[in-house]
Amino acid sequence: MSSSKHNKVLRRLALSVLQPGFVGTQAPDWVLRAIGDGLSSVALFTRNISSPDQVSRLTAQLRAENPALIVAVDEEAGDVTRMESATGSSRPGNFALGAVDDTELTEAVARDLGRQLHAAGVNLDYAPSVDVNSNPDNPVIGVRSFGVDASVVSRHTTAWIRGLQSAGVGACAKHFPGHGDVAVDSHHGLPSYDAGIDEIIAQALPPFRAALDAGVRAVMSGHLLVPAYDPDLPATLSPRILNDLLRKELGFDGLIVTDAIEMGAVADRYGIGGAAVKAIAAGADAICVGGENADEATAELLVGALVDAVASGDLAEGRLAEAADRVRDFAGWSTHLAQAVPADPVSGDIGFVAARRAIRLSGSVHESLPLAAPPHVVELVPATNLAIAKETPWGVGAPLRERLPGTTFVRVHHEDWTTRPAVLEEHALAPASGRPVVVVVRDAARHAWMGRALADLTTARPDAIVVEMGLPGAAAPGAVQIFTHGATAASGVAAAEVLAGPR
């Protein structure tokens, strides 16, 4: 084979292992050209989505170039939502489903999501998160997990995957080998999971074994150091973790896709191109990119890095070809799965049913609820991690005002609290004079400023009703505590219904 022909073969192989994002609600020309040249997958993010019909048109445009194209989306149907980023998810997330602990409900919610994605032309969902959130200070998983107990997470992992795939969409269990017991956000730095092998086997791996048993055909690697298996390389770049543990020990023969390769945990150390090469060499089959770097130049940089690595001997051509084969196998399986399932309607209600069932109450409920008059709602707003779109709405004030006209609400951010000493008095307490007050928090136990602000408010107003929309911490002050186990739109509506009472 001539050198030019060989380079074309290598370029095609390199393109086939990328799962890039792009900008726009229509496919740009460079993506369409790349599909013709061998690109086998694309990833959709919030910026690509304006409505279900628009996504259907977009996926049809993409598949006109390749009917077996893998179209992926990062849709957890919880706080992390792309399909409903503009409105907030109409389904509760994993932690709420784990709190209810009804696997039939979890399967029904995931099936309903699968119908929505199937109708939109998506055939790979980067979900569910099967991490066991055993560290309450975890800044990036939290309510994205089904819970803090491996057995709970395992059984809901099984139910969620069965539900999604029964609707014709391939699931992807993440973030291998478990991102739940860390205290660093891998978007920005390199977390370390420092447990011993026995603890990892007992705590982090059971949900992944459950996912494999449930028929998952894709697993996403996590950008975290696991010294018990590899003291030097993050899991995404570690042959010991991807090949020895996931392939050989757990017996997984499907698609290994990386978490976004531009994340700081790997890109800061090796560069995007270097991280991609190391990931494929370690045993990954597909490189997710484009959450932040979504242009043609990034795709070409990665293609060039992979081709050059083969030429230099840093990446075996056979390993790149094997990865491309696994991508092709997944494309064939997911295309067949989608074609085998009719496009059933989305129920539109099961998510709200689930969110209502996830509500938990404590305190003087019968004395305080439903509210006797329209309240003033104070929402304490944390900074969220990059997995949660900043534009995604959350809270209780807006849905409560729909049910109790006259409800007012204010949002207080960390900066407000630190730079304006009178902000709580002026914007929270004074407007609530002579009225009920509702304080809404999100992971108050994990944000010191929020905990202090909450204590100040409930000291001034012991009759305050506190709504926690993140992980429940220690018992909060206040007359009544409402726990939603997530901050989706459905969870906000469920809390508002409890506050307002029957219509």
Side-chain angles (χ1 to χ4, degrees):
M1 185 184 299
S2 69
S3 175
S4 62
K5 284 185 178 179
H6 188 224
N7 283 339
K8 286 183 179 179
V9 169
L10 289 180
R11 174 177 170 79
R12 194 168 189 88
L13 289 174
L15 272 170
S16 73
V17 302
L18 301 186
Q19 297 193 340
F22 56 88
V23 176
T25 54
Q26 296 183 3
D29 289 342
W30 74 264
V31 170
L32 300 178
R33 288 196 304 271
I35 294 171
D37 290 343
L39 183 68
S40 300
S41 315
V42 296
L44 303 184
F45 295 90
T46 298
R47 59 174 174 260
N48 306 120
I49 296 166
S50 62
S51 71
D53 289 343
Q54 170 268 320
V55 179
S56 296
R57 292 192 297 271
L58 172 59
T59 57
Q61 179 192 19
L62 291 163
R63 288 215 173 85
E65 306 296 321
N66 175 9
L69 187 74
I70 299 169
V71 179
V73 69
D74 186 17
E75 176 56 64
E76 297 180 12
D79 288 24
V80 177
T81 178
R82 309 302 175 213
M83 297 298 290
E84 297 183 291
S85 181
T87 59
S89 177
S90 58
R91 305 171 182 91
N94 287 358
F95 202 76
L97 294 172
V100 178
D101 201 12
D102 178 344
T103 55
E104 291 185 4
L105 178 68
T106 295
E107 185 168 346
V109 170
R111 182 180 299 110
D112 196 54
L113 171 65
R115 288 169 177 158
Q116 180 185 20
L117 297 179
H118 181 261
V122 171
N123 58 352
L124 171 60
D125 187 9
Y126 295 143
S129 167
V130 306
D131 309 291
V132 181
N133 197 67
S134 47
N135 184 346
D137 290 326
N138 193 318
V140 70
I141 302 300
V143 296
R144 300 168 66 191
S145 167
F146 287 112
V148 301
D149 179 82
S151 62
V152 172
V153 176
S154 295
R155 61 177 171 263
H156 288 278
T157 291
T158 296
W160 209 95
I161 289 170
R162 285 179 176 169
L164 188 79
Q165 296 193 164
S166 72
V169 177
C172 179
K174 63 186 185 186
H175 306 80
F176 189 82
H179 211 303
D181 193 9
V182 302
V184 172
D185 183 348
S186 51
H187 290 93
H188 306 296
L190 179 61
S192 184
Y193 179 20
D194 295 324
I197 286 179
D198 289 346
E199 183 179 341
I200 293 170
I201 289 172
Q203 174 181 278
L205 295 185
F208 288 98
R209 294 184 186 275
L212 270 56
D213 289 344
V216 81
R217 299 295 302 154
V219 170
M220 178 176 281
S221 63
H223 299 330
L224 70 160
L225 201 64
V226 190
Y229 286 97
D230 190 329
D232 302 314
L233 293 170
T236 293
L237 315 181
S238 171
R240 297 181 192 174
I241 293 174
L242 299 187
N243 189 56
D244 296 350
L245 178 58
L246 182 54
R247 291 283 188 218
K248 294 179 180 178
E249 189 171 329
L250 271 64
F252 180 63
D253 63 355
L255 183 76
I256 299 177
V257 58
T258 71
D259 205 347
I261 206 67
E262 65 261 57
M263 289 167 61
V266 292
D268 287 353
R269 288 161 175 75
Y270 305 102
I272 294 177
V277 169
K278 285 182 173 294
I280 296 296
D285 306 304
I287 304 295
C288 173
V289 67
E292 298 171 66
N293 301 70
D295 53 15
E296 182 178 10
T298 297
E300 287 299 324
L301 182 156
L302 294 176
V303 168
L306 291 166
V307 170
D308 290 348
V310 172
S312 69
D314 291 335
L315 175 61
E317 184 174 345
R319 169 78 273 270
L320 182 60
E322 178 188 53
D325 286 344
R326 284 215 173 88
V327 172
R328 185 167 51 250
D329 288 346
F330 184 89
W333 173 81
S334 61
T335 299
H336 175 76
L337 181 69
Q339 292 171 344
V341 175
D344 292 329
V346 176
S347 80
D349 187 54
I350 186 65
F352 291 96
V353 170
R356 292 179 190 115
R357 289 185 60 188
I359 293 286
R360 299 292 182 269
L361 305 173
S362 68
S364 56
V365 175
H366 297 298
E367 298 173 14
S368 304
L369 297 176
L371 294 170
H376 184 56
V377 179
V378 184
E379 296 179 341
L380 303 180
V381 182
T384 55
N385 63 68
L386 287 177
I388 300 172
K390 293 187 184 301
E391 69 273 13
T392 303
W394 68 279
V396 174
L400 184 56
R401 185 168 58 184
E402 293 177 8
R403 288 155 180 80
L404 279 180
T407 295
T408 56
F409 59 93
V410 65
R411 295 202 136 190
V412 178
H413 296 74
H414 184 204
E415 183 180 1
D416 301 324
W417 186 78
T418 54
T419 61
R420 298 161 56 192
V423 66
L424 294 183
E425 177 60 38
E426 293 176 0
H427 296 282
L429 295 173
S433 178
R435 305 167 56 191
V437 62
V438 176
V439 184
V440 183
V441 295
R442 191 172 180 181
D443 291 324
R446 203 168 56 78
H447 300 281
W449 78 269
M450 191 181 297
R452 292 196 293 271
L454 175 60
D456 289 345
L457 289 170
T458 52
T459 297
R461 287 291 301 265
D463 61 331
I465 295 172
V466 178
V467 182
E468 171 60 83
M469 301 194 77
L471 290 177
V480 171
Q481 294 86 46
I482 300 175
F483 301 99
T484 64
H485 302 95
T488 69
S491 300
V493 167
E497 290 174 344
V498 171
L499 290 162
R503 281 185 167 180

